[in-house]
Amino acid sequence: MVKVGIYGATGYMGAEALRILLQHPQVEVVWATSRDGEEALNYHKNFYKRGIQFTKPEEVSGKDCDVVFFSTPTGLAAEMGSKFLHEGSRIIDFGADFRLKDQATWEEVYGRKHPNWELAKQAVYGINELHKEAIVNTKVVANPGCFSSSAILALAPLIKENLIDCDKIIVDGMSGTAGAGVDLDFALHHPQMHNNILPYNVVNHRHSYEIEQELMGICNEKVNINFTSYYVPISRGILSACHCFPVEHVTRQSLLELYNEFYKDSYFIKVIDIPENKDCAWNYMPYPWVSSVVSTNFCHIGLSVDEKRNRIVVFSVLDSIGKGGAQVGVQNMNLIMGLDEREGLENYGLYPY
Amino acid sequence: MVKVGIYGATGYMGAEALRILLQHPQVEVVWATSRDGEEALNYHKNFYKRGIQFTKPEEVSGKDCDVVFFSTPTGLAAEMGSKFLHEGSRIIDFGADFRLKDQATWEEVYGRKHPNWELAKQAVYGINELHKEAIVNTKVVANPGCFSSSAILALAPLIKENLIDCDKIIVDGMSGTAGAGVDLDFALHHPQMHNNILPYNVVNHRHSYEIEQELMGICNEKVNINFTSYYVPISRGILSACHCFPVEHVTRQSLLELYNEFYKDSYFIKVIDIPENKDCAWNYMPYPWVSSVVSTNFCHIGLSVDEKRNRIVVFSVLDSIGKGGAQVGVQNMNLIMGLDEREGLENYGLYPY
Amino acid sequence: MVKVGIYGATGYMGAEALRILLQHPQVEVVWATSRDGEEALNYHKNFYKRGIQFTKPEEVSGKDCDVVFFSTPTGLAAEMGSKFLHEGSRIIDFGADFRLKDQATWEEVYGRKHPNWELAKQAVYGINELHKEAIVNTKVVANPGCFSSSAILALAPLIKENLIDCDKIIVDGMSGTAGAGVDLDFALHHPQMHNNILPYNVVNHRHSYEIEQELMGICNEKVNINFTSYYVPISRGILSACHCFPVEHVTRQSLLELYNEFYKDSYFIKVIDIPENKDCAWNYMPYPWVSSVVSTNFCHIGLSVDEKRNRIVVFSVLDSIGKGGAQVGVQNMNLIMGLDEREGLENYGLYPY
Amino acid sequence: MVKVGIYGATGYMGAEALRILLQHPQVEVVWATSRDGEEALNYHKNFYKRGIQFTKPEEVSGKDCDVVFFSTPTGLAAEMGSKFLHEGSRIIDFGADFRLKDQATWEEVYGRKHPNWELAKQAVYGINELHKEAIVNTKVVANPGCFSSSAILALAPLIKENLIDCDKIIVDGMSGTAGAGVDLDFALHHPQMHNNILPYNVVNHRHSYEIEQELMGICNEKVNINFTSYYVPISRGILSACHCFPVEHVTRQSLLELYNEFYKDSYFIKVIDIPENKDCAWNYMPYPWVSSVVSTNFCHIGLSVDEKRNRIVVFSVLDSIGKGGAQVGVQNMNLIMGLDEREGLENYGLYPY
């Protein structure tokens, strides 16, 4: 059994990690911290009377754990990580502390000095579809941002094959409000948000930098990600729409083949290749639905091509705290600990969700 | 491995049974029928490229199965059930064909002649908290209606202890729209329903009869269930509010003790006993939340007492196609087949959902 | 032109009063206060660049106004009301300061000493369907609670005709989250609430006392209102379901006639008398829809009778800050100022809303 | 009084026209047709018992009307329009029959022969911010598509000033489900849609052609609109996000000034120029909210500039059946009939909506 600790299980991401790890057949959750201690169960009612215990953060140690997951405010994983590493644990950070490879960029983007860059240098960026071997061999995983996973997975095949103008990529990321986390905000108060769509971080989004870093790692040329995010009134899940201008002739069919080939060994990526049919009443069917993947570690990808106007649009959907967060963290843990990557992550999405 | 067939997997209930059974470690799904055959995968996108196959109904047999689940229009399970029984399978009907013990009542309530009353007479009503032993020994289970499970579980302890006026019980059942099934309806068209609350079957609801039957079975006196149902704009889940007039002095504390005792061996029933506290900002906490149990086989029950006006209100929440449908069907299958009742049903609810 | 001030226009109720009064052809809004002053326009985007000004509360006077509307925390209208009265204004309080006729009850229910009971004694309870003449002649209106309006309007005809057991009335009030006001709360954070139903104030709700007071005023005997409230995931609007036990034989038809007669002079009350028809596919149609009345001053009432089990259920729907709040306040203002009660309040609901 | 007829008032667009025209102080609605006749009131409950009458389409004539509004399936306005014109009425078509200036394009886009191109040639495209004078003088208005209004209003100032690369404009249009109309569809069934985001018409959307036509009319060079549409789970309203690549240096401030100048005489366009402030907790505030304009004839526009990556994003929000449909139709009617364009259209949005 793999022994894990969850440092910060009060919020949505940490609580999702806890949920998945409790159900994982090869894992023992040694501790999960909440500053509220046992009181936390009053609001985590999905765990009510199921024997879960929350521990205060000051009472835990990495000695008991093979892996410690961090779901903490920016900087804390970098500050605390070395302690847990020295105590013998690997660490997987759901936050942004270890995601960027350039210190100056990190410090500009996050507006502060990095607390421990030596630690950051050891980290592997946790998109396992691109970095599986490195993840297997690391002790520090930088779990990707939710929008980042979504955009990287949607764009990687196009970038790899040099099919698009890398300077002019537009990504619209529509997210459920769980992406905002558990902290209250006027705009996310239910009566405000129930009938609204909320653009935010509309230019220069922090996730742009990780997306660019990872895609540049594939093609070795400059990539510009013009990313804009929105909250839409669902709770979980992201749809990213990635618009690209092809530099050679492509068709929907040729791209579907490319994507199927690119992801043929990636169990958790499913390419939706239902035919487009203008005469069909169900013109919603050929594209991925975010409702199909919420609560899971799956990412569905679909696409279309406007041959008249020369545009590709790729859609990817995932759960921001599933494949876009806690569950991909567990997939990375499986890899590090020598388990089958699917272990504990086979659940189907809900229908209807 | 228990071998199962699902007769009617296109709709929400059958598809939920399929989802749960595919994840069940002791079950092999031998077949699941859909009149659309393979085409069905276009809209069951949660199963997309996961190796699921749908079979046309005319191609299946009970010879291959230990248990066949029916999720079919009223009458069909009664018509087809004997065939599957003769072929050696047990049957669990998610529909209403076998729920009532009195033929005349059934025929009045459902407005038609019953197709096979001999079969109905063999059936056990599948509330396992009340009828566990009978379920273990039957070949035909009448799975309860979603509202029925919710109301029976909320009221059984009060009825058992003769604490309330059985002639004047009011139940308001608020349901997600998945309860309406997959058939389209003007009132359930998204732009109509998104900001609406929809009363329906406001008196003399069909589920009233099963609730009365089961509660009368506990107390051996007449029980009147004044039931009204509503769709509220969520997709899955039911909150039932059961209002009763106590015939002796009770307090919230005394009732919480009663409920905890009554359900002490019922793993899937959790009594919410968080203290009420008027000074507390979080005055929403002491009662069950439907969002905590959706996708699971759990039922949360909470309550309050108005000592001034002499009223008890009991709230129960469950997923209409989980503990109120397909998942309790799987729990019943576990019992029939000699498995631990928890097998395949331990999943936690989502947070947030 | 009637000159009005709005004391407290930041929150939902005050802002709705402002919206309606700005559109009112016979009204001039002299001032509307917000502690945020001009900053308030950043979040009242419906008023953006429409020439609205917010004034700081310390800068306003009743000398300029015929009527001042209070939308303030409990106690403040009672504290400030005399000042505005002395300056020559009438006052209409959207809060609870003047709603109860018994001081001891008020102080028990609101858990504090009343700041100015002499003022409270002058107030008329603002259900104009019951107290039109008194409202015309008062200088102080206690605008009813949103649930109170809904329940009183639904029950008054039955109470007047002594048709029901007044000791055993159950009211379930399902409200949009705007009813919680603009203050943030964990349970009303969008990702928590989007798929939830939230019981609160489940017994001994403060509005029970006003409902009982008003209904007792009709029948001169004790009335017990067993009221429970819920937030459902819509933003505006209330559906109240009022369950009663008839003491003589009634039918749906006889009650519809009673209600139509009772409200024949009440322009803003519409009795839904669409026939119930079990064979009709549209079994949602015969009852009122909350989506039809949101944003308006209308209240729709519908009902059904269970002759088998001896129960009446009456549904009323209204907008908690429309006919259940700010708009009925404007209707009361119309009466006080000698205008047609319909002035400024004729708007139709949205379809779809 | 202007006399109007509404040909097709059953659906959402026609019913919205009816709602607005009934409230219009200078209009008399002579007739509104529904194939269901009086039965239609059962589901238009917002009109319930308000004295509205629906007429069967075969019973109406243009002789009684100054203006006839068409809200009918493609082709019908073209087929019927001449009759009403000959009877003396002007016509305003909410559909697509008269929107394109090139017959071959129309026939390719709509997949059929145009029924009456002579009539189409008389039509003026009803964006009154661009074509006010022509609208004043026409007898046939082609009311713009909802997405078209949204995109044209967002992009016109940039196009006019030649500030962007016209070949690479990306528009993501997120719409409430009312945009799908009243016809039922599996994907828009409430339990399917409540937690989903639905891409549709993802390339080569019919509205692209009108947007391109109108923008090319401004700049006299080729414009490529890469448009993709989505349903998000709200009922009414559209947010369009228009991404452009500037061809010269611009700043948010310079563009806000441009937009304010461009729209200085357009009462119904409001440019949101709240400062962006990274340190501010309310990072949602500087951009338009769709909830602020639903039910109105207003369009809010906001924007941001990524000076690092060289991108402009312009957001516009409007109600798809308000400023994006029926209400702009009424604004056009006001212009044609010599009324103030604001008449009957001054309503504020709801807060909260």
Side-chain angles (χ1 to χ4, degrees):
Chain A
M1 297 293 274
V2 175
K3 293 180 172 181
V4 307
I6 301 170
Y7 200 84
T10 311
Y12 297 150
M13 189 71 87
E16 174 75 354
L18 178 55
R19 179 180 80 89
I20 293 296
L21 290 163
L22 286 167
Q23 294 174 178
H24 193 297
Q26 310 267 12
V27 164
E28 178 193 347
V29 178
V30 181
W31 47 257
T33 73
S34 171
R35 271 165 298 188
D36 297 315
E38 286 307 291
E39 291 293 308
L41 287 171
N42 288 353
Y43 41 102
H44 290 268
K45 284 209 186 75
N46 59 328
F47 293 145
Y48 198 72
K49 294 192 176 175
R50 297 289 298 276
I52 318 296
Q53 295 195 314
F54 287 101
T55 309
K56 301 251 180 183
E58 56 273 22
E59 296 168 9
V60 301
S61 155
K63 285 183 194 148
D64 318 315
C65 299
D66 299 304
V67 178
V68 169
F69 294 89
F70 277 91
S71 184
T72 44
T74 301
L76 196 56
E79 284 165 26
M80 303 278 298
S82 297
K83 165 179 148 42
F84 285 112
L85 277 179
H86 292 150
E87 290 169 347
S89 166
R90 291 81 160 174
I91 60 180
I92 296 177
D93 179 28
F94 293 134
D97 290 10
F98 309 129
R99 289 181 191 158
L100 298 184
K101 301 208 178 312
D102 182 71
Q103 183 173 4
T105 304
W106 194 96
E107 296 186 345
E108 184 197 329
V109 171
Y110 291 95
R112 53 182 292 180
K113 201 164 154 34
H114 193 281
N116 186 346
W117 194 254
E118 286 308 306
L119 188 56
K121 286 198 286 189
Q122 300 177 45
V124 175
Y125 191 81
I127 292 272
N128 48 60
E129 285 78 9
L130 300 180
H131 305 304
K132 189 169 288 186
E133 199 171 336
I135 291 168
V136 167
N137 294 300
T138 191
K139 293 192 165 173
V140 184
V141 174
N143 220 52
C146 52
F147 286 122
S148 312
S149 285
S150 169
I152 293 165
L153 292 168
L155 291 166
L158 295 177
I159 295 286
K160 174 99 181 306
E161 299 299 318
N162 296 305
L163 291 174
I164 58 172
D165 179 351
C166 289
D167 189 47
K168 295 197 160 44
I169 301 170
I170 299 283
V171 182
D172 271 320
M174 308 169 203
S175 172
T177 53
V182 78
D183 289 338
L184 306 185
D185 186 291
F186 172 76
L188 296 166
H189 191 39
H190 186 271
Q192 300 291 133
M193 187 62 214
H194 177 61
N195 286 305
N196 205 8
I197 305 169
L198 210 57
Y200 71 102
N201 292 350
V202 299
V203 298
N204 207 26
H205 192 292
R206 286 169 169 182
H207 288 184
S208 311
Y209 293 87
E210 338 170 6
I211 303 170
E212 289 168 347
Q213 165 185 288
E214 292 299 309
L215 295 178
M216 285 194 270
I218 293 174
C219 66
N220 290 313
E221 60 175 295
K222 185 151 171 41
V223 175
N224 250 346
I225 294 296
N226 292 288
F227 184 85
T228 298
S229 47
Y230 309 82
Y231 289 124
V232 298
I234 60 175
S235 58
R236 290 168 70 135
I238 283 175
L239 170 78
S240 285
C242 305
H243 305 279
C244 312
F245 302 104
V247 293
E248 59 183 75
H249 181 253
V250 296
T251 65
R252 186 177 190 246
Q253 191 53 38
S254 73
L255 293 184
L256 288 174
E257 285 165 20
L258 165 64
Y259 275 72
N260 274 318
E261 175 64 21
F262 190 92
Y263 288 119
K264 70 173 190 288
D265 298 323
S266 297
Y267 179 69
F268 292 105
I269 314 297
K270 303 296 185 197
V271 178
I272 306 286
D273 44 21
I274 298 170
E276 287 179 321
N277 180 351
K278 300 223 160 193
D279 300 328
C280 176
W282 286 7
N283 60 349
Y284 307 109
M285 290 298 147
Y287 314 109
W289 289 15
V290 68
S291 58
S292 312
V293 295
V294 168
S295 82
T296 80
N297 192 46
F298 287 85
C299 171
H300 286 186
I301 296 179
L303 57 85
S304 193
V305 174
D306 188 344
E307 297 187 48
K308 180 175 183 301
R309 290 181 188 79
N310 199 39
R311 175 183 51 130
I312 300 164
V313 53
V314 185
F315 304 108
S316 69
V317 295
L318 47 73
D319 186 336
S320 46
I321 55 178
K323 181 62 174 170
Q327 296 198 38
V328 80
V330 173
Q331 188 183 357
N332 289 332
M333 179 207 75
N334 285 342
L335 291 170
I336 291 174
M337 300 306 299
L339 304 176
D340 186 317
E341 65 174 345
R342 306 179 191 190
E343 201 74 71
L345 298 168
E346 291 271 21
N347 284 351
Y348 296 88
L350 304 176
Y351 174 78
Y353 161 63
Chain B
M1 297 292 273
V2 175
K3 292 179 173 183
V4 306
I6 302 170
Y7 199 84
T10 311
Y12 296 150
M13 190 71 87
E16 173 75 353
L18 179 54
R19 180 180 79 87
I20 293 294
L21 290 163
L22 286 167
Q23 295 173 175
H24 193 298
Q26 311 267 11
V27 164
E28 179 193 346
V29 178
V30 181
W31 47 258
T33 73
S34 171
R35 272 166 296 188
D36 298 315
E38 286 307 292
E39 291 293 308
L41 286 171
N42 288 352
Y43 40 100
H44 291 267
K45 285 211 187 72
N46 59 327
F47 294 145
Y48 198 71
K49 294 192 174 173
R50 299 289 298 275
I52 318 296
Q53 296 194 313
F54 288 100
T55 309
K56 302 249 179 184
E58 55 274 21
E59 298 169 8
V60 302
S61 154
K63 284 185 193 147
D64 318 313
C65 299
D66 299 303
V67 178
V68 170
F69 293 90
F70 277 91
S71 183
T72 44
T74 302
L76 195 56
E79 285 164 25
M80 303 278 297
S82 298
K83 166 179 147 40
F84 286 113
L85 277 179
H86 292 150
E87 291 170 344
S89 166
R90 292 82 162 175
I91 59 178
I92 297 179
D93 178 28
F94 293 134
D97 290 10
F98 309 130
R99 288 182 190 156
L100 298 184
K101 302 210 178 310
D102 182 71
Q103 184 173 3
T105 304
W106 194 96
E107 295 185 346
E108 184 196 330
V109 170
Y110 292 95
R112 54 182 292 179
K113 198 163 157 38
H114 194 280
N116 186 346
W117 193 255
E118 286 309 304
L119 189 56
K121 285 198 287 190
Q122 300 177 44
V124 175
Y125 191 81
I127 291 272
N128 48 59
E129 286 77 10
L130 300 180
H131 306 305
K132 190 169 287 187
E133 198 171 339
I135 291 168
V136 167
N137 294 300
T138 191
K139 292 192 167 173
V140 184
V141 173
N143 219 51
C146 54
F147 286 122
S148 312
S149 286
S150 169
I152 293 165
L153 292 168
L155 290 166
L158 296 176
I159 296 286
K160 174 101 182 304
E161 298 299 319
N162 297 307
L163 291 175
I164 57 172
D165 179 350
C166 289
D167 189 47
K168 294 196 161 47
I169 301 170
I170 300 282
V171 181
D172 271 321
M174 308 168 203
S175 173
T177 54
V182 78
D183 288 339
L184 305 185
D185 186 291
F186 173 76
L188 296 166
H189 191 38
H190 186 271
Q192 300 291 135
M193 186 62 212
H194 176 60
N195 287 303
N196 206 7
I197 305 168
L198 210 57
Y200 71 103
N201 292 350
V202 299
V203 299
N204 206 28
H205 192 291
R206 287 169 169 181
H207 288 184
S208 310
Y209 293 86
E210 338 170 6
I211 302 170
E212 288 168 349
Q213 166 185 287
E214 291 300 308
L215 296 178
M216 285 192 271
I218 293 174
C219 67
N220 291 314
E221 60 175 293
K222 185 151 170 41
V223 175
N224 250 345
I225 295 296
N226 292 287
F227 184 84
T228 298
S229 46
Y230 309 82
Y231 288 124
V232 297
I234 61 175
S235 58
R236 291 170 67 136
I238 285 175
L239 169 78
S240 285
C242 306
H243 304 279
C244 312
F245 301 105
V247 294
E248 60 183 76
H249 181 251
V250 296
T251 65
R252 185 175 190 247
Q253 191 52 39
S254 73
L255 292 184
L256 287 175
E257 286 166 18
L258 166 64
Y259 275 71
N260 274 317
E261 176 65 20
F262 190 93
Y263 287 120
K264 70 174 188 291
D265 297 324
S266 297
Y267 178 70
F268 291 106
I269 314 297
K270 303 296 184 195
V271 179
I272 306 285
D273 43 22
I274 297 171
E276 286 177 322
N277 179 351
K278 300 224 161 193
D279 301 329
C280 177
W282 286 7
N283 61 349
Y284 308 108
M285 291 298 147
Y287 314 109
W289 289 14
V290 68
S291 58
S292 313
V293 296
V294 167
S295 82
T296 80
N297 193 45
F298 286 86
C299 171
H300 286 186
I301 297 178
L303 57 84
S304 193
V305 174
D306 187 345
E307 297 187 48
K308 179 173 184 303
R309 290 181 188 77
N310 199 40
R311 176 182 51 130
I312 299 165
V313 54
V314 185
F315 304 108
S316 69
V317 294
L318 48 72
D319 186 336
S320 46
I321 56 177
K323 180 63 172 170
Q327 296 199 39
V328 79
V330 173
Q331 188 184 357
N332 289 333
M333 179 207 74
N334 285 342
L335 291 169
I336 291 175
M337 299 306 299
L339 303 176
D340 185 317
E341 66 174 345
R342 306 179 191 190
E343 202 74 72
L345 298 168
E346 290 271 21
N347 284 350
Y348 296 87
L350 303 177
Y351 174 78
Y353 162 62
Chain C
M1 297 292 274
V2 175
K3 292 180 173 182
V4 305
I6 302 171
Y7 200 83
T10 310
Y12 296 150
M13 189 71 87
E16 174 75 354
L18 178 54
R19 180 180 80 89
I20 292 295
L21 290 163
L22 287 167
Q23 295 173 177
H24 193 299
Q26 310 267 12
V27 164
E28 178 193 346
V29 178
V30 181
W31 47 257
T33 74
S34 170
R35 272 166 296 188
D36 298 314
E38 286 307 292
E39 291 292 309
L41 286 171
N42 289 351
Y43 41 101
H44 291 268
K45 284 210 186 71
N46 59 327
F47 293 145
Y48 198 72
K49 294 192 174 174
R50 298 290 297 276
I52 318 297
Q53 295 195 311
F54 287 100
T55 309
K56 302 250 177 183
E58 55 273 22
E59 298 168 8
V60 302
S61 154
K63 284 184 194 146
D64 318 313
C65 299
D66 298 304
V67 178
V68 170
F69 293 90
F70 277 91
S71 184
T72 43
T74 301
L76 195 56
E79 284 165 27
M80 303 279 296
S82 297
K83 165 179 148 41
F84 286 111
L85 277 179
H86 292 150
E87 291 170 344
S89 166
R90 291 80 161 175
I91 61 180
I92 296 179
D93 179 27
F94 293 134
D97 290 10
F98 308 129
R99 289 181 190 157
L100 299 184
K101 302 210 177 310
D102 182 71
Q103 183 174 2
T105 304
W106 194 96
E107 295 186 345
E108 184 197 331
V109 171
Y110 292 95
R112 53 183 290 179
K113 198 163 158 34
H114 193 281
N116 186 345
W117 194 254
E118 286 309 304
L119 188 56
K121 286 197 287 189
Q122 300 178 44
V124 176
Y125 191 81
I127 291 272
N128 48 59
E129 285 78 10
L130 300 180
H131 306 303
K132 190 169 287 188
E133 199 172 338
I135 291 168
V136 167
N137 294 300
T138 190
K139 293 192 166 173
V140 184
V141 173
N143 219 52
C146 52
F147 287 122
S148 312
S149 286
S150 169
I152 293 165
L153 293 168
L155 291 166
L158 295 177
I159 295 285
K160 173 100 182 304
E161 300 299 319
N162 297 306
L163 292 174
I164 58 171
D165 179 350
C166 289
D167 189 46
K168 294 195 161 46
I169 300 169
I170 299 283
V171 182
D172 270 320
M174 307 168 205
S175 172
T177 54
V182 78
D183 289 339
L184 306 186
D185 186 291
F186 173 77
L188 296 166
H189 191 39
H190 186 271
Q192 300 291 134
M193 186 62 212
H194 176 61
N195 287 303
N196 205 8
I197 306 168
L198 210 57
Y200 71 102
N201 292 351
V202 298
V203 298
N204 206 27
H205 192 292
R206 287 170 169 181
H207 288 183
S208 310
Y209 293 87
E210 340 170 3
I211 303 170
E212 288 168 348
Q213 165 185 287
E214 292 300 309
L215 296 178
M216 285 193 271
I218 294 173
C219 67
N220 290 314
E221 60 174 295
K222 186 153 170 40
V223 174
N224 250 345
I225 294 296
N226 292 288
F227 184 84
T228 298
S229 48
Y230 309 82
Y231 288 124
V232 298
I234 60 175
S235 58
R236 291 169 68 137
I238 284 175
L239 169 79
S240 286
C242 306
H243 304 279
C244 312
F245 301 103
V247 294
E248 58 184 75
H249 181 251
V250 295
T251 64
R252 185 176 190 247
Q253 192 52 41
S254 73
L255 293 185
L256 287 174
E257 286 165 17
L258 165 63
Y259 275 73
N260 273 317
E261 174 66 21
F262 190 94
Y263 287 120
K264 70 174 189 290
D265 298 324
S266 297
Y267 179 69
F268 291 105
I269 314 296
K270 303 295 184 198
V271 179
I272 306 285
D273 44 22
I274 297 170
E276 286 178 322
N277 180 352
K278 299 222 163 197
D279 300 328
C280 177
W282 286 5
N283 61 349
Y284 307 109
M285 290 299 148
Y287 314 109
W289 289 14
V290 68
S291 58
S292 313
V293 295
V294 167
S295 82
T296 80
N297 192 45
F298 287 86
C299 171
H300 286 186
I301 297 179
L303 57 84
S304 193
V305 174
D306 188 344
E307 296 187 49
K308 180 175 183 302
R309 290 181 187 79
N310 199 38
R311 175 182 52 129
I312 299 164
V313 54
V314 184
F315 304 107
S316 69
V317 294
L318 48 72
D319 186 336
S320 44
I321 56 178
K323 181 62 172 170
Q327 296 197 39
V328 79
V330 173
Q331 189 184 356
N332 289 332
M333 178 207 76
N334 285 342
L335 292 169
I336 291 174
M337 300 307 298
L339 304 176
D340 185 316
E341 66 174 345
R342 306 179 191 191
E343 201 75 71
L345 298 168
E346 291 271 22
N347 284 350
Y348 296 88
L350 304 177
Y351 173 76
Y353 162 64
Chain D
M1 296 293 274
V2 175
K3 294 180 173 183
V4 306
I6 302 170
Y7 199 83
T10 310
Y12 296 150
M13 189 72 87
E16 174 74 355
L18 179 53
R19 180 180 79 88
I20 292 296
L21 290 162
L22 286 167
Q23 295 173 177
H24 193 298
Q26 310 267 12
V27 164
E28 178 193 346
V29 178
V30 180
W31 47 258
T33 73
S34 171
R35 272 165 297 187
D36 298 314
E38 285 307 292
E39 291 293 308
L41 287 170
N42 288 353
Y43 41 103
H44 290 268
K45 286 210 186 75
N46 59 326
F47 293 145
Y48 199 72
K49 293 191 175 176
R50 298 290 297 276
I52 318 296
Q53 295 195 314
F54 287 100
T55 310
K56 302 249 180 185
E58 55 274 20
E59 298 168 8
V60 302
S61 153
K63 285 185 194 150
D64 319 314
C65 299
D66 299 303
V67 179
V68 170
F69 294 89
F70 276 91
S71 183
T72 43
T74 300
L76 195 55
E79 284 164 26
M80 303 277 297
S82 297
K83 166 179 149 39
F84 287 112
L85 277 178
H86 291 149
E87 290 171 345
S89 166
R90 291 81 161 177
I91 60 179
I92 297 178
D93 179 27
F94 293 134
D97 290 11
F98 309 129
R99 288 181 191 157
L100 298 184
K101 303 209 177 308
D102 182 72
Q103 184 173 4
T105 304
W106 193 96
E107 296 187 345
E108 185 197 330
V109 171
Y110 292 95
R112 53 182 293 178
K113 200 165 157 33
H114 193 281
N116 187 345
W117 193 253
E118 287 309 306
L119 188 56
K121 285 198 287 189
Q122 300 178 44
V124 176
Y125 191 81
I127 292 271
N128 48 59
E129 285 78 10
L130 300 180
H131 305 305
K132 189 168 287 186
E133 199 171 338
I135 291 168
V136 167
N137 294 300
T138 192
K139 292 193 165 172
V140 184
V141 174
N143 219 51
C146 53
F147 287 122
S148 313
S149 286
S150 168
I152 293 165
L153 292 168
L155 290 166
L158 295 177
I159 296 286
K160 173 100 181 306
E161 299 299 319
N162 297 305
L163 291 175
I164 57 172
D165 179 350
C166 288
D167 189 47
K168 295 196 160 48
I169 300 169
I170 299 283
V171 181
D172 271 320
M174 308 168 203
S175 172
T177 54
V182 79
D183 288 339
L184 305 186
D185 186 291
F186 173 76
L188 296 166
H189 192 39
H190 186 271
Q192 300 291 134
M193 186 62 213
H194 176 60
N195 287 303
N196 206 6
I197 305 169
L198 209 57
Y200 72 102
N201 292 350
V202 298
V203 298
N204 207 26
H205 192 292
R206 286 169 169 182
H207 288 184
S208 310
Y209 293 86
E210 340 169 4
I211 303 171
E212 289 167 348
Q213 166 185 289
E214 292 300 309
L215 295 178
M216 284 192 272
I218 293 174
C219 67
N220 290 313
E221 60 175 294
K222 185 152 171 40
V223 174
N224 250 345
I225 294 296
N226 292 288
F227 184 84
T228 299
S229 47
Y230 309 82
Y231 289 124
V232 297
I234 60 176
S235 57
R236 290 169 70 135
I238 283 176
L239 169 78
S240 285
C242 306
H243 305 279
C244 312
F245 302 104
V247 294
E248 59 182 75
H249 181 252
V250 296
T251 64
R252 184 176 191 246
Q253 191 53 38
S254 73
L255 293 184
L256 288 174
E257 286 165 20
L258 166 63
Y259 275 71
N260 273 319
E261 175 64 21
F262 190 94
Y263 288 120
K264 69 173 190 292
D265 298 324
S266 297
Y267 178 69
F268 291 106
I269 314 296
K270 302 296 183 195
V271 179
I272 306 285
D273 43 20
I274 297 171
E276 287 179 321
N277 179 352
K278 300 225 161 193
D279 300 329
C280 177
W282 285 7
N283 60 349
Y284 307 108
M285 290 299 147
Y287 314 110
W289 289 15
V290 68
S291 58
S292 313
V293 296
V294 167
S295 81
T296 80
N297 192 45
F298 287 86
C299 171
H300 286 186
I301 296 178
L303 58 84
S304 192
V305 174
D306 187 346
E307 297 187 47
K308 180 174 183 301
R309 290 182 189 77
N310 200 39
R311 177 183 49 130
I312 299 164
V313 54
V314 185
F315 304 108
S316 69
V317 295
L318 49 71
D319 186 335
S320 45
I321 55 178
K323 180 62 172 169
Q327 296 198 37
V328 79
V330 173
Q331 188 183 357
N332 289 332
M333 179 207 76
N334 285 342
L335 291 169
I336 291 174
M337 300 307 298
L339 303 177
D340 186 317
E341 65 174 345
R342 307 180 190 190
E343 201 74 71
L345 298 168
E346 291 271 21
N347 283 351
Y348 297 88
L350 304 177
Y351 174 78
Y353 162 63

